Amino acid sequence: MRTLIVTEFITLDGVIDSPGGGDHPHAGWTFKDVEFDEAAYEIKGREQQEAGAMLMGRVSYDEFAPVWPTMDEFAEYNTMPKYVVSTTLTDPTWHNTQVLPSLDAVADLKRGEGGPILVHGSARLAQGLAAAGLVDRYHLLEFPVILGSGKRLFADTAAQKAKLELVEHASYSNGVRLGVYDVAR
């Protein structure tokens, strides 16, 4: 059984929308509003080294696919298997990408062999995975920023209730905090 990890940049008020760019009015809040501290991003390199696959929703795919293949810092992601949960994407152009039609297909993928499956971005997908009981771990880099609006990691519903166990944490000079949480079962 593979581990499914949701990894996110998140604000204090739970927003994960447009951390590096995008349509949100405060897009780019991870680098525009918080001083860079390389140590805070160590987990991102570790994730890339340990991951066996990347999973994303259609919107994140459409944002990542034109950019990530050209970035040297994402070399491992570009070569590993990538999966997009979508009922509308039919011909993905990003190398080594497959379309999964449903969360049931994600559950099947999870039951297979291989390294951890990382979910980047994809708020709606992350919420659906959590509601379906498919998330095993969260890697959250919490930024000392409040945006007040935008896509949130956790849906505003009682169905999202879950107990999490803190398994790793760190604080950095720029106020960013790392929290790695396992979903208690």
Side-chain angles (χ1 to χ4, degrees), residues 53-83:
M54 187 165 69
L55 176 67
M56 64 202 101
R58 175 65 189 265
V59 172
S60 292
Y61 172 81
D62 286 344
E63 291 175 357
F64 295 170
V67 180
W68 283 31
T70 65
M71 301 176 74
D72 291 337
E73 61 265 37
F74 297 134
E76 288 86 357
Y77 286 133
N78 289 321
T79 59
M80 75 175 56
K82 289 166 282 302
Y83 300 91

Side-chain angles (χ1 to χ4, degrees), residues 125-148:
L125 175 60
Q127 290 172 2
L129 293 166
L134 295 172
V135 177
D136 299 300
R137 177 173 274 193
Y138 291 94
H139 289 182
L140 305 179
L141 277 177
E142 182 184 72
F143 284 71
V145 175
I146 294 173
L147 297 181

Side-chain angles (χ1 to χ4, degrees), residues 140-178:
L140 305 179
L141 277 177
E142 182 184 72
F143 284 71
V145 175
I146 294 173
L147 297 181
S149 67
K151 295 174 190 167
R152 297 179 187 278
L153 176 55
F154 301 107
D156 190 14
T157 173
Q160 291 285 22
K161 184 178 185 295
K163 182 175 181 339
L164 305 178
E165 296 174 354
L166 182 66
V167 296
E168 180 182 347
H169 62 91
S171 295
Y172 303 100
S173 63
N174 59 358
V176 171
R177 294 185 305 183
L178 167 68

Side-chain angles (χ1 to χ4, degrees), residues 11 13 15-34 145-150:
T11 65
D13 57 343
V15 175
I16 61 171
D17 201 344
S18 305
D23 295 334
H24 191 277
H26 302 294
W29 48 268
T30 58
F31 63 89
K32 290 179 181 176
D33 298 328
V34 178
V145 175
I146 294 173
L147 297 181
S149 67

